[in-house]
Coordinates of all heavy atoms in Angstrom, one line a residue:
Chain G
E41 N -26.5 9.6 -36.6 CA -25.7 8.4 -36.1 C -26.6 7.2 -36.0 O -26.1 6.0 -36.2 CB -25.1 8.7 -34.7 CG -23.9 9.6 -34.8 CD -23.5 10.1 -33.4 OE1 -24.3 9.9 -32.4 OE2 -22.5 10.8 -33.3
L42 N -27.9 7.4 -35.8 CA -28.8 6.3 -35.7 C -29.2 5.8 -37.1 O -30.0 4.8 -37.2 CB -30.1 6.7 -34.9 CG -29.8 6.9 -33.4 CD1 -31.0 7.6 -32.8 CD2 -29.5 5.6 -32.6
G43 N -28.8 6.5 -38.1 CA -29.1 6.1 -39.5 C -30.6 6.4 -39.8 O -31.1 5.7 -40.7
I44 N -31.1 7.4 -39.2 CA -32.5 7.8 -39.5 C -32.5 8.9 -40.5 O -31.9 9.9 -40.3 CB -33.2 8.3 -38.2 CG1 -33.2 7.2 -37.1 CG2 -34.6 8.7 -38.5 CD1 -33.7 7.6 -35.8
N45 N -33.1 8.6 -41.7 CA -33.0 9.7 -42.7 C -34.1 10.7 -42.6 O -34.9 10.6 -41.7 CB -33.0 9.0 -44.1 CG -34.4 8.4 -44.4 OD1 -35.4 8.8 -43.9 ND2 -34.4 7.3 -45.2
S46 N -34.0 11.7 -43.4 CA -34.9 12.9 -43.2 C -36.4 12.5 -43.4 O -37.2 13.2 -42.8 CB -34.5 14.0 -44.2 OG -34.5 13.5 -45.5
I47 N -36.7 11.5 -44.2 CA -38.1 11.1 -44.4 C -38.5 10.4 -43.1 O -39.6 10.7 -42.6 CB -38.2 10.2 -45.6 CG1 -37.9 10.9 -46.9 CG2 -39.6 9.5 -45.6 CD1 -37.9 10.1 -48.1
A48 N -37.7 9.6 -42.6 CA -38.1 8.8 -41.3 C -38.3 9.8 -40.1 O -39.1 9.6 -39.3 CB -37.0 7.8 -41.0
V49 N -37.5 10.9 -40.1 CA -37.6 11.8 -39.0 C -39.0 12.4 -39.0 O -39.7 12.5 -38.0 CB -36.6 13.0 -39.2 CG1 -36.9 14.1 -38.2 CG2 -35.2 12.5 -39.0
L50 N -39.5 12.7 -40.2 CA -40.8 13.3 -40.3 C -41.9 12.3 -40.0 O -43.0 12.6 -39.5 CB -41.0 14.0 -41.6 CG -40.1 15.2 -41.8 CD1 -40.2 15.8 -43.2 CD2 -40.4 16.3 -40.7
E51 N -41.6 11.0 -40.3 CA -42.6 10.0 -39.9 C -42.7 9.9 -38.4 O -43.7 9.6 -37.8 CB -42.2 8.6 -40.5 CG -42.4 8.5 -42.0 CD -42.1 7.1 -42.6 OE1 -42.8 6.2 -42.2 OE2 -41.1 7.0 -43.3
I52 N -41.5 10.0 -37.8 CA -41.5 10.0 -36.3 C -42.3 11.2 -35.8 O -43.1 11.0 -34.8 CB -40.0 10.1 -35.8 CG1 -39.3 8.8 -36.1 CG2 -40.0 10.4 -34.3 CD1 -37.8 8.9 -35.9
V53 N -42.1 12.3 -36.3 CA -42.9 13.5 -35.9 C -44.4 13.3 -36.1 O -45.2 13.6 -35.2 CB -42.4 14.8 -36.7 CG1 -43.3 15.9 -36.5 CG2 -41.0 15.1 -36.3
G54 N -44.7 12.7 -37.3 CA -46.1 12.5 -37.6 C -46.7 11.5 -36.5 O -47.9 11.6 -36.1
Y55 N -46.0 10.5 -36.2 CA -46.4 9.5 -35.2 C -46.7 10.2 -33.8 O -47.7 10.0 -33.2 CB -45.4 8.4 -35.0 CG -45.8 7.3 -34.1 CD1 -46.4 6.1 -34.6 CD2 -45.5 7.4 -32.7 CE1 -46.7 5.1 -33.7 CE2 -45.9 6.4 -31.8 CZ -46.5 5.2 -32.3 OH -46.9 4.2 -31.5
L56 N -45.7 11.0 -33.4 CA -45.9 11.7 -32.1 C -47.1 12.6 -32.1 O -47.8 12.7 -31.2 CB -44.6 12.5 -31.8 CG -43.3 11.7 -31.6 CD1 -42.1 12.7 -31.5 CD2 -43.4 10.9 -30.3
E57 N -47.3 13.3 -33.3 CA -48.4 14.2 -33.4 C -49.7 13.5 -33.3 O -50.7 13.9 -32.6 CB -48.3 15.0 -34.7 CG -47.2 16.0 -34.7 CD -47.1 16.8 -36.0 OE1 -47.5 16.2 -37.1 OE2 -46.7 17.9 -36.0
D58 N -49.8 12.3 -34.0 CA -51.0 11.5 -33.9 C -51.3 11.0 -32.5 O -52.4 11.1 -32.0 CB -50.9 10.3 -34.8 CG -51.1 10.7 -36.3 OD1 -51.5 11.9 -36.5 OD2 -50.8 9.9 -37.2
K59 N -50.3 10.6 -31.8 CA -50.5 10.0 -30.5 C -50.8 11.1 -29.5 O -51.6 10.9 -28.5 CB -49.2 9.3 -30.0 CG -48.9 8.0 -30.7 CD -49.9 7.0 -30.2 CE -49.7 5.6 -30.9 NZ -50.6 4.6 -30.5
L60 N -50.2 12.3 -29.7 CA -50.4 13.4 -28.7 C -51.6 14.3 -29.1 O -52.1 15.1 -28.3 CB -49.2 14.2 -28.6 CG -47.9 13.5 -28.0 CD1 -46.7 14.3 -28.2 CD2 -48.1 13.1 -26.6
G61 N -52.1 14.2 -30.3 CA -53.2 15.0 -30.8 C -52.8 16.5 -30.9 O -53.5 17.4 -30.6
V62 N -51.5 16.7 -31.4 CA -51.0 18.1 -31.5 C -50.4 18.2 -32.9 O -50.2 17.2 -33.6 CB -50.0 18.4 -30.5 CG1 -50.5 18.4 -29.1 CG2 -48.7 17.5 -30.6
R63 N -50.1 19.4 -33.2 CA -49.3 19.6 -34.5 C -48.1 20.6 -34.1 O -48.4 21.7 -33.6 CB -50.1 20.3 -35.6 CG -49.3 20.5 -36.8 CD -50.1 20.4 -38.1 NE -49.2 20.7 -39.2 CZ -48.9 19.9 -40.1 NH1 -49.4 18.7 -40.1 NH2 -48.1 20.2 -41.1
F64 N -46.9 20.1 -34.2 CA -45.8 20.9 -33.9 C -45.5 22.0 -35.0 O -45.8 21.7 -36.2 CB -44.5 20.1 -33.8 CG -44.6 19.0 -32.7 CD1 -44.5 17.7 -33.0 CD2 -44.8 19.4 -31.4 CE1 -44.6 16.7 -32.0 CE2 -44.9 18.4 -30.4 CZ -44.8 17.1 -30.7
P65 N -45.0 23.1 -34.6 CA -44.7 24.2 -35.7 C -43.7 23.7 -36.7 O -42.7 23.1 -36.3 CB -44.2 25.3 -34.9 CG -44.7 25.1 -33.5 CD -44.7 23.6 -33.3
D66 N -44.0 23.8 -38.0 CA -43.2 23.3 -39.0 C -41.7 23.9 -39.0 O -40.8 23.2 -39.3 CB -43.8 23.7 -40.4 CG -45.0 22.8 -40.7 OD1 -45.2 21.8 -40.0 OD2 -45.8 23.2 -41.5
D67 N -41.6 25.2 -38.6 CA -40.3 25.8 -38.6 C -39.3 25.2 -37.6 O -38.1 25.3 -37.7 CB -40.4 27.3 -38.4 CG -40.9 27.6 -37.0 OD1 -42.1 27.3 -36.7 OD2 -40.2 28.2 -36.2
E68 N -39.9 24.4 -36.6 CA -39.0 23.8 -35.6 C -38.5 22.4 -36.0 O -37.7 21.9 -35.3 CB -39.7 23.8 -34.2 CG -40.1 25.1 -33.7 CD -40.6 25.1 -32.3 OE1 -40.5 24.1 -31.6 OE2 -41.3 26.1 -31.9
L69 N -39.0 21.9 -37.1 CA -38.7 20.6 -37.5 C -37.4 20.5 -38.3 O -36.7 19.4 -38.3 CB -39.8 19.9 -38.3 CG -41.2 20.0 -37.6 CD1 -42.2 19.3 -38.5 CD2 -41.2 19.3 -36.3
A70 N -37.0 21.6 -38.9 CA -35.9 21.5 -39.8 C -34.6 21.2 -39.1 O -33.7 20.7 -39.7 CB -35.8 22.9 -40.6
Q71 N -34.5 21.6 -37.8 CA -33.2 21.4 -37.2 C -33.2 20.4 -36.1 O -32.5 20.5 -35.1 CB -32.7 22.8 -36.7 CG -32.2 23.6 -37.8 CD -32.2 25.1 -37.5 OE1 -31.7 25.5 -36.5 NE2 -32.8 25.9 -38.3
L72 N -34.1 19.4 -36.3 CA -34.1 18.2 -35.3 C -32.9 17.4 -35.6 O -32.8 16.7 -36.6 CB -35.4 17.4 -35.5 CG -36.7 17.8 -34.8 CD1 -37.8 16.9 -35.2 CD2 -36.4 17.8 -33.3
N73 N -32.0 17.3 -34.6 CA -30.8 16.6 -34.9 C -30.5 15.4 -33.9 O -29.7 14.5 -34.2 CB -29.5 17.5 -34.8 CG -29.5 18.5 -35.9 OD1 -29.8 18.1 -37.1 ND2 -29.2 19.8 -35.6
T74 N -31.2 15.5 -32.7 CA -31.0 14.4 -31.7 C -32.3 13.9 -31.1 O -33.3 14.5 -31.3 CB -30.1 15.0 -30.5 OG1 -30.9 16.1 -29.9 CG2 -28.8 15.6 -31.0
I75 N -32.1 12.8 -30.4 CA -33.3 12.2 -29.7 C -33.7 13.2 -28.6 O -34.9 13.4 -28.4 CB -32.9 10.9 -29.0 CG1 -32.6 9.8 -30.1 CG2 -33.9 10.4 -28.1 CD1 -33.8 9.5 -31.0
G76 N -32.8 13.9 -28.0 CA -33.1 14.9 -27.0 C -33.9 16.1 -27.6 O -34.8 16.7 -27.0
G77 N -33.6 16.3 -28.9 CA -34.4 17.4 -29.6 C -35.9 17.0 -29.7 O -36.7 17.9 -29.7
L78 N -36.1 15.7 -29.9 CA -37.5 15.3 -30.0 C -38.2 15.5 -28.6 O -39.4 15.9 -28.6 CB -37.6 13.8 -30.4 CG -37.3 13.5 -31.9 CD1 -37.1 12.0 -32.0 CD2 -38.4 13.9 -32.8
S79 N -37.5 15.1 -27.6 CA -38.0 15.3 -26.2 C -38.3 16.8 -26.0 O -39.4 17.2 -25.5 CB -37.0 14.9 -25.2 OG -36.7 13.6 -25.4
D80 N -37.4 17.7 -26.4 CA -37.6 19.1 -26.2 C -38.8 19.6 -27.0 O -39.5 20.5 -26.5 CB -36.3 19.9 -26.7 CG -35.1 19.6 -25.8 OD1 -35.3 19.1 -24.7 OD2 -34.0 19.9 -26.2
L81 N -39.0 19.0 -28.2 CA -40.1 19.4 -29.0 C -41.4 19.1 -28.2 O -42.3 20.0 -28.2 CB -40.1 18.6 -30.3 CG -41.0 19.1 -31.5 CD1 -40.6 20.5 -31.9 CD2 -40.9 18.1 -32.6
I82 N -41.5 17.9 -27.6 CA -42.7 17.6 -26.9 C -42.9 18.5 -25.7 O -44.0 19.0 -25.4 CB -42.7 16.1 -26.5 CG1 -42.7 15.2 -27.8 CG2 -43.8 15.7 -25.6 CD1 -42.4 13.7 -27.5
R83 N -41.8 18.6 -24.9 CA -41.9 19.4 -23.7 C -42.2 20.9 -24.0 O -43.0 21.5 -23.3 CB -40.6 19.4 -22.9 CG -40.3 18.1 -22.2 CD -39.1 18.3 -21.2 NE -38.6 17.0 -21.0 CZ -37.5 16.4 -21.6 NH1 -36.9 17.1 -22.5 NH2 -37.1 15.3 -21.3
G84 N -41.6 21.4 -25.1 CA -41.7 22.8 -25.4 C -43.1 23.2 -25.9 O -43.4 24.4 -25.9
H85 N -43.9 22.2 -26.2 CA -45.3 22.6 -26.7 C -46.4 22.2 -25.7 O -47.5 22.2 -26.1 CB -45.5 22.0 -28.1 CG -44.5 22.7 -29.0 ND1 -44.8 24.0 -29.4 CD2 -43.3 22.4 -29.5 CE1 -43.7 24.4 -30.2 NE2 -42.8 23.5 -30.2
D86 N -46.0 21.8 -24.5 CA -47.0 21.7 -23.4 C -48.2 20.9 -23.9 O -49.3 21.4 -23.9 CB -47.4 23.1 -22.9 CG -48.1 23.0 -21.6 OD1 -48.2 21.9 -21.0 OD2 -48.7 24.0 -21.2
V87 N -47.9 19.7 -24.4 CA -48.9 19.0 -25.1 C -50.2 18.7 -24.3 O -51.3 18.7 -24.9 CB -48.4 17.6 -25.6 CG1 -47.3 17.8 -26.6 CG2 -47.9 16.7 -24.5

Side-chain angles (χ1 to χ4, degrees):
Chain G
E41 285 166 356
L42 291 168
I44 301 172
N45 66 31
S46 55
I47 294 176
V49 170
L50 294 173
E51 287 185 67
I52 292 169
V53 168
Y55 183 94
L56 294 173
E57 289 177 331
D58 283 350
K59 288 288 178 182
L60 297 168
V62 298
R63 179 150 177 116
F64 300 120
D66 290 338
D67 64 296
E68 295 186 20
L69 305 181
Q71 285 158 52
L72 272 178
N73 293 317
T74 62
I75 293 297
L78 286 167
S79 305
D80 292 342
L81 193 64
I82 295 170
R83 286 194 202 95
H85 293 283
D86 193 10
V87 295

